[in-house]
Amino acid sequence: MSFPANAASMDSDGDSLLDEWEKNGYDADSNGTIDVDLAAVGAHYLRPDILIEVDTMNGLANPPIAAAGGTPGVFGVAQQMFEEAPVMNPLGQEGINLILDTSGSIANTAVLHFGTIVPSNGTSTDFATIRNTNFTANRDDIYHYSIWGDAMVG
């Protein structure tokens, strides 16, 4: 077991987000200006948080199911599953706070590669290019990035 060197390096809930960031905001470039207000998006220093930016491809045959008539959509169901996970935390209630930013959209790509780009008959690009183009750099150390697309080949 290791202990933090000082209060500024505390992470009480073990989610790799420092308590200081979850209470007072995250300053990505250490210039004294808060770049991401984690408390405002729902993060709490005594409950594990996972932050994910989900960019949805435009024009999908199978877009994410939206919430309707009191029924949660696909993202709401995912959040509920994490909330009910049997994970103990210092706040007392079990679970993980899944914080999703689903506000982004990207161009539809027929083939999305996760390695070297291989030419194909349709449009083709790679995950890293899309991520680097659409993911806000000041979130790099605190958010994960994902893409909602139609299908994964292979």
Side-chain angles (χ1 to χ4, degrees):
M1 173 183 271
S2 64
F3 294 97
N6 53 50
S9 61
M10 288 280 299
D11 178 16
S12 297
D13 56 15
D15 62 3
S16 297
L17 299 171
L18 299 181
D19 292 355
E20 177 70 21
W21 299 345
E22 291 181 280
K23 291 177 186 178
N24 301 312
Y26 176 68
D27 179 7
D29 53 10
S30 301
N31 67 356
T33 301
I34 298 302
D35 296 300
V36 181
D37 185 346
L38 292 172
V41 298
H44 193 284
Y45 73 102
L46 293 177
R47 183 174 177 92
D49 303 289
I50 298 175
L51 294 87
I52 304 174
E53 177 179 323
V54 182
D55 285 348
T56 302
M57 286 188 179
N58 297 319
L60 294 177
N62 299 300
I65 299 168
T71 302
V74 68
F75 295 127
V77 170
Q79 288 171 313
Q80 184 176 358
M81 288 172 27
F82 275 82
E83 186 177 303
E84 295 172 0
V87 175
M88 293 180 4
N89 63 70
L91 193 55
Q93 64 190 50
E94 291 185 343
I96 298 169
N97 187 20
L98 180 61
I99 299 169
L100 301 172
D101 176 354
T102 60
S103 63
S105 64
I106 58 173
N108 194 313
T109 301
V111 179
L112 179 63
H113 298 281
F114 289 91
T116 304
I117 297 175
V118 179
S120 68
N121 294 336
T123 59
S124 178
T125 191
D126 69 297
F127 180 84
T129 299
I130 292 174
R131 182 188 187 280
N132 293 340
T133 302
N134 296 284
F135 190 58
T136 308
N138 64 11
R139 292 177 157 196
D140 207 29
D141 291 333
I142 56 175
Y143 272 79
H144 302 277
Y145 182 75
S146 68
I147 296 171
W148 184 283
D150 266 331
M152 184 173 155
V153 179

